[in-house]
Amino acid sequence: MATHMLVAVHGLWGNPSHVQYVAKSIEQRYNEAVMVHLPRVNVGIRTYHGIDVCGERLYQDIVSALERNPQVNKFSILGYSAGGLYSRYAVGRLYQEGYFDDNRITPVNFITFACPHLGVRRSPRSLFNRFYNCMPPYLLWRAGAQFAVADDDTNPLLHTLTMPDSVFMAGLKQFKCLVAYANTQNDRTVPYSTASLSARNPYRKAPSLTRLEGYPNIISVRHLHTNEPPAILSFAEKPSPPLLSSFVSAFIGLLRVLLLLCFLPLVILGLCIANGVARCTYPSITIPSDFRTPQPQQQHTTHSEISENDILPELSPDTAQVEVGTKSEMENMQMEEERDAKEGLSDDTAESVDSLFAVDSKGSILREMYKNLRSLPWKIVDVAVEGGHTHGHIIVRHTVLHAGGKDVVKHCVDCFQLS
């Protein structure tokens, strides 16, 4: 029997069919080594109950699956969209309850596809964005408030998930491979920046892009703790389209606006009804109140773990050497940002990060979330699938409607680590 369990988790309004293609692709490739588990505990409106409630249900479901399969000694989890947040919560609870202690279960792959790691808030530079930031709590209840980092003024849940001394960060550190797939264009649900743990999208004005050999919809694979720039070949302006093409594009754009205006009231009404149903079906589930790791914390070693005192960029030969462990986490991160800004190699310079978060009332919280998550050794896979809305394509949510991302799923399968 397979000893490696892969848990594939869908997102908001979702169901297991949304992640079935990627999960089955991995299972078919490694059929004797990997078994797939598709939780059904957070289907549909149940996702309105919040990241913590959905994450707790997911944790309990995973524990049940592990009890039914006592031969499992390796564990991977894959989260699509909000499912990535549920997965981060569940991993923290597994760590808290000792499932990763003493090599009981070895965490291997933690993978997210188009996950709003930093929430869904938009920069409040426009009236529309300020209105957008206010709407999620009213339309999506607890989940919406948490996505918008509006559930608590001082310590919202997404911030709790990134606290350095939390079980959630400790749980993530156990995994040998942390991967985040992010759409660089046309994802109207989860923008590139939040999915890729970035402050902005460097590809927005870069029509000339590299393509990874064998994967036509993947621009590049980058590691946050290495000196890798965004894979941009040119910032040249796109050539002007033919007049007829411009007319057709303008007509299609106008048609979309008209359809949106016609159906928007119905969509809002449907969301409000779903909101009310979710409130009526809110479960009586116990959520732990203390998510801090015990002190002193038990040390776990994996080949990809980076301790809080070791968060340094890879140093070039002409860079002054710094003794590991002599700088605090914040100082090391600042050094990394300043160095990248000077060399022009990072899409997230200190200036861009500060300017992004300074205008938001939640700026200090967002910046801390950003820095804490980027302290982990993430591998970022930048995806550029063609289409008007690419959120479903990145994971092939439907094999016909979202077939454009099959090479992205193939990349995930090819890079999946068995141990």
Side-chain angles (χ1 to χ4, degrees):
M1 297 180 67
T3 59
H4 189 148
M5 176 181 287
L6 168 66
V7 179
V9 187
H10 63 78
L12 192 70
W13 304 306
N15 62 73
S17 69
H18 290 181
V19 292
Q20 186 169 8
Y21 181 83
V22 62
K24 293 302 180 183
S25 296
I26 293 175
E27 186 177 44
Q28 290 171 7
R29 173 75 66 86
Y30 311 104
N31 59 342
E32 295 184 358
V34 178
M35 62 174 295
V36 168
H37 176 59
L38 302 176
R40 300 190 58 87
V41 293
N42 292 315
V43 172
I45 293 178
R46 290 167 69 88
T47 55
Y48 279 49
H49 294 159
I51 298 168
D52 49 353
V53 173
C54 291
E56 187 67 25
R57 282 194 295 238
L58 175 62
Y59 155 72
Q60 295 174 3
D61 184 78
I62 292 173
V63 169
S64 298
L66 291 173
E67 290 175 349
R68 293 194 302 270
N69 297 276
Q71 81 283 359
V72 170
N73 56 22
K74 290 179 286 292
F75 176 78
S76 294
I77 191 165
L78 182 153
Y80 166 55
S81 194
L85 299 177
Y86 308 153
S87 299
R88 281 169 50 193
Y89 183 101
V91 161
R93 292 286 286 118
L94 288 170
Y95 175 88
Q96 186 177 38
E97 297 302 324
Y99 283 89
F100 300 154
D101 290 345
D102 302 322
N103 296 321
R104 177 181 176 184
I105 294 177
T106 301
V108 184
N109 303 279
F110 185 93
I111 307 168
T112 63
F113 283 81
C115 171
H117 286 288
L118 301 174
V120 298
R121 291 183 69 85
R122 299 190 177 191
S123 178
R125 297 180 184 275
S126 69
L127 182 62
F128 174 80
N129 283 0
R130 289 196 291 271
F131 174 76
Y132 176 90
N133 290 341
C134 293
M135 291 309 295
Y138 297 102
L139 299 180
L140 304 176
W141 193 32
R142 292 185 78 247
Q146 292 168 353
F147 293 151
V149 197
D151 52 308
D152 190 285
D153 291 334
T154 57
N155 191 28
L157 181 64
L158 285 183
H159 179 253
T160 300
L161 292 180
T162 66
M163 292 174 63
D165 63 345
S166 71
V167 295
F168 307 112
M169 290 290 284
L172 284 178
K173 288 180 181 179
Q174 309 312 304
F175 285 84
K176 296 182 178 181
C177 187
L178 298 174
V179 187
Y181 288 81
N183 279 314
T184 61
Q185 60 187 17
N186 299 331
D187 192 329
R188 309 187 194 286
T189 305
V190 179
Y192 171 81
S193 56
T194 185
S196 65
L197 307 171
S198 302
R200 62 187 182 91
N201 186 348
Y203 301 106
R204 187 169 298 171
K205 296 182 180 180
S208 181
L209 303 169
T210 62
R211 299 287 171 168
L212 201 62
E213 185 177 356
Y215 310 99
N217 288 311
I218 294 181
I219 299 173
S220 69
V221 179
R222 305 181 285 122
H223 293 79
L224 287 185
H225 292 281
T226 60
N227 204 5
E228 298 179 59
I232 297 173
L233 296 182
S234 171
F235 278 101
E237 294 295 330
K238 293 182 179 180
S240 299
L243 182 61
L244 179 60
S245 176
S246 298
F247 176 78
V248 172
S249 298
F251 176 77
I252 293 175
L254 178 61
L255 186 61
R256 285 177 176 172
V257 172
L258 292 176
L259 289 174
L260 178 63
L261 292 176
C262 291
F263 288 101
L264 185 60
L266 295 177
V267 171
I268 293 177
L269 178 61
L271 290 173
C272 290
I273 292 174
N275 194 335
V277 173
R279 290 173 182 268
C280 294
T281 59
Y282 186 70
S284 56
I285 186 169
T286 302
I287 304 295
S289 58
D290 188 0
F291 294 115
R292 291 171 299 178
T293 54
Q295 300 295 331
Q297 181 178 340
Q298 181 178 351
Q299 295 298 315
H300 299 258
T301 302
T302 68
H303 73 267
S304 68
E305 181 178 349
I306 296 180
S307 69
E308 293 183 4
N309 290 327
D310 293 339
I311 302 168
L312 288 171
E314 290 190 357
L315 301 178
S316 58
D318 59 343
T319 304
Q321 297 297 313
V322 179
E323 181 181 355
V324 174
T326 61
K327 297 289 183 180
S328 68
E329 177 180 338
M330 296 296 285
E331 289 173 333
N332 289 335
M333 289 298 291
Q334 185 176 6
M335 288 174 57
E336 181 182 9
E337 290 174 346
E338 290 174 350
R339 188 230 32 204
D340 287 346
K342 181 178 180 180
E343 298 182 4
L345 295 175
S346 174
D347 59 314
D348 283 352
T349 64
E351 180 181 358
S352 70
V353 173
D354 285 336
S355 64
L356 174 73
F357 296 136
V359 297
D360 197 308
S361 60
K362 303 285 186 179
S364 60
I365 292 175
L366 292 171
R367 181 180 174 84
E368 188 173 350
M369 289 164 49
Y370 164 89
K371 281 184 168 290
N372 290 342
L373 280 175
R374 286 176 66 92
S375 71
L376 299 177
W378 289 94
K379 179 169 69 176
I380 308 298
V381 182
D382 297 330
V383 177
V385 182
E386 296 297 329
H389 184 35
T390 57
H391 190 64
H393 285 279
I394 195 171
I395 201 168
V396 190
R397 195 167 67 192
H398 189 283
T399 54
V400 176
L401 299 177
H402 305 118
K406 288 187 176 180
D407 65 303
V408 181
V409 170
K410 181 178 181 299
H411 180 271
C412 177
V413 176
D414 292 343
C415 297
F416 188 84
Q417 296 189 21
L418 292 179
S419 60

